[in-house]
Amino acid sequence: MPSPCNKLKLLRKAAKPPITIRALAEAIDMPASSYAFYEDMNRFKKKYLPLELTRKIAAVLMNHQINPEDILALSGLTSYELKTEISAIRQIMPPIQFVKMNMALPNETLLAEMFEDLLADLDLNAPKKEIAYNLAQHLPEALSETARKIPDKIH
């Protein structure tokens, strides 16, 4: 069986939007150098990745359009075990995001600029589902950024 290192690296790089080693390591609460060890087939010599590690990575990459089954399979689970693990991951994922913002909505001009910026980084030939997912991921941050352009005191 080939090393799981290359497959893990390919899955991380296939994430939408792509995620760096540092960002993924931070998301799973691990030093970047420790995470990088698992992507280095010259250093990680085992046949399978640790199950707890794959659980954490799968939960993060699932939010980046990576099938959690592909990550969990790197731990050597059977197909039945994979289904059980995926079910458990989906149950702990919150169905909504909570964003706390005290803001007035910007005017049409600022909103249009915000949407132009959001769309500028997207492949508009991609499937609509992918475009919608990317917009949903970046909308909270874009709204916060746009809100900073509104004066604190409006007369």
Side-chain angles (χ1 to χ4, degrees), residues 55 59 87-95:
R55 284 178 179 143
S87 177
I89 287 172
R90 290 184 197 273
Q91 287 178 4
I92 63 169
M93 297 297 295

mmCIF file of all heavy atoms in Angstrom, residues 55 59 87-95:
data_model
loop_
_atom_site.group_PDB
_atom_site.id
_atom_site.type_symbol
_atom_site.label_atom_id
_atom_site.label_comp_id
_atom_site.label_asym_id
_atom_site.label_seq_id
_atom_site.Cartn_x
_atom_site.Cartn_y
_atom_site.Cartn_z
ATOM 1 N N ARG A 55 -9.708 12.167 11.895
ATOM 2 C CA ARG A 55 -11.006 12.718 12.318
ATOM 3 C C ARG A 55 -10.972 14.245 12.301
ATOM 4 O O ARG A 55 -11.885 14.895 11.801
ATOM 5 C CB ARG A 55 -11.363 12.243 13.727
ATOM 6 C CG ARG A 55 -11.828 10.835 13.819
ATOM 7 C CD ARG A 55 -12.102 10.469 15.266
ATOM 8 N NE ARG A 55 -12.578 9.118 15.390
ATOM 9 C CZ ARG A 55 -12.265 8.306 16.390
ATOM 10 N NH1 ARG A 55 -11.487 8.722 17.368
ATOM 11 N NH2 ARG A 55 -12.748 7.083 16.423
ATOM 12 N N ALA A 59 -12.948 16.752 9.590
ATOM 13 C CA ALA A 59 -13.926 17.744 10.040
ATOM 14 C C ALA A 59 -13.612 19.123 9.457
ATOM 15 O O ALA A 59 -14.514 19.868 9.088
ATOM 16 C CB ALA A 59 -13.961 17.803 11.563
ATOM 17 N N SER A 87 -20.721 9.740 9.956
ATOM 18 C CA SER A 87 -21.956 10.090 10.652
ATOM 19 C C SER A 87 -21.648 10.858 11.937
ATOM 20 O O SER A 87 -22.293 11.861 12.246
ATOM 21 C CB SER A 87 -22.755 8.825 10.964
ATOM 22 O OG SER A 87 -23.899 9.132 11.697
ATOM 23 N N ALA A 88 -20.656 10.421 12.667
ATOM 24 C CA ALA A 88 -20.270 11.091 13.917
ATOM 25 C C ALA A 88 -19.752 12.497 13.646
ATOM 26 O O ALA A 88 -20.080 13.442 14.372
ATOM 27 C CB ALA A 88 -19.218 10.265 14.653
ATOM 28 N N ILE A 89 -18.954 12.662 12.597
ATOM 29 C CA ILE A 89 -18.422 13.980 12.253
ATOM 30 C C ILE A 89 -19.553 14.927 11.884
ATOM 31 O O ILE A 89 -19.608 16.062 12.330
ATOM 32 C CB ILE A 89 -17.406 13.884 11.093
ATOM 33 C CG1 ILE A 89 -16.103 13.267 11.590
ATOM 34 C CG2 ILE A 89 -17.135 15.265 10.487
ATOM 35 C CD1 ILE A 89 -15.108 12.964 10.495
ATOM 36 N N ARG A 90 -20.483 14.463 11.087
ATOM 37 C CA ARG A 90 -21.591 15.319 10.650
ATOM 38 C C ARG A 90 -22.470 15.742 11.835
ATOM 39 O O ARG A 90 -23.029 16.824 11.831
ATOM 40 C CB ARG A 90 -22.417 14.621 9.584
ATOM 41 C CG ARG A 90 -21.678 14.496 8.268
ATOM 42 C CD ARG A 90 -22.558 13.885 7.180
ATOM 43 N NE ARG A 90 -21.769 13.405 6.068
ATOM 44 C CZ ARG A 90 -21.392 14.137 5.037
ATOM 45 N NH1 ARG A 90 -21.747 15.390 4.977
ATOM 46 N NH2 ARG A 90 -20.672 13.619 4.062
ATOM 47 N N GLN A 91 -22.573 14.885 12.851
ATOM 48 C CA GLN A 91 -23.398 15.219 14.011
ATOM 49 C C GLN A 91 -22.778 16.314 14.865
ATOM 50 O O GLN A 91 -23.491 17.073 15.509
ATOM 51 C CB GLN A 91 -23.655 13.980 14.859
ATOM 52 C CG GLN A 91 -24.638 13.024 14.212
ATOM 53 C CD GLN A 91 -24.853 11.763 15.041
ATOM 54 O OE1 GLN A 91 -24.331 11.633 16.132
ATOM 55 N NE2 GLN A 91 -25.618 10.831 14.503
ATOM 56 N N ILE A 92 -21.449 16.401 14.886
ATOM 57 C CA ILE A 92 -20.817 17.435 15.709
ATOM 58 C C ILE A 92 -20.663 18.756 14.966
ATOM 59 O O ILE A 92 -20.361 19.765 15.576
ATOM 60 C CB ILE A 92 -19.438 16.989 16.255
ATOM 61 C CG1 ILE A 92 -18.441 16.733 15.127
ATOM 62 C CG2 ILE A 92 -19.565 15.806 17.167
ATOM 63 C CD1 ILE A 92 -17.014 16.546 15.590
ATOM 64 N N MET A 93 -20.878 18.754 13.667
ATOM 65 C CA MET A 93 -20.764 19.985 12.891
ATOM 66 C C MET A 93 -21.990 20.846 13.135
ATOM 67 O O MET A 93 -23.119 20.371 13.001
ATOM 68 C CB MET A 93 -20.655 19.673 11.391
ATOM 69 C CG MET A 93 -19.420 18.888 11.001
ATOM 70 S SD MET A 93 -17.896 19.763 11.316
ATOM 71 C CE MET A 93 -18.068 21.109 10.181
ATOM 72 N N PRO A 94 -21.787 22.102 13.513
ATOM 73 C CA PRO A 94 -22.957 22.962 13.717
ATOM 74 C C PRO A 94 -23.647 23.242 12.387
ATOM 75 O O PRO A 94 -22.977 23.466 11.390
ATOM 76 C CB PRO A 94 -22.364 24.247 14.309
ATOM 77 C CG PRO A 94 -20.925 24.222 13.920
ATOM 78 C CD PRO A 94 -20.539 22.781 13.758
ATOM 79 N N PRO A 95 -24.980 23.225 12.368
ATOM 80 C CA PRO A 95 -25.695 23.451 11.117
ATOM 81 C C PRO A 95 -25.711 24.919 10.691
ATOM 82 O O PRO A 95 -26.048 25.228 9.570
ATOM 83 C CB PRO A 95 -27.111 22.963 11.429
ATOM 84 C CG PRO A 95 -27.242 23.108 12.902
ATOM 85 C CD PRO A 95 -25.861 22.901 13.465
#
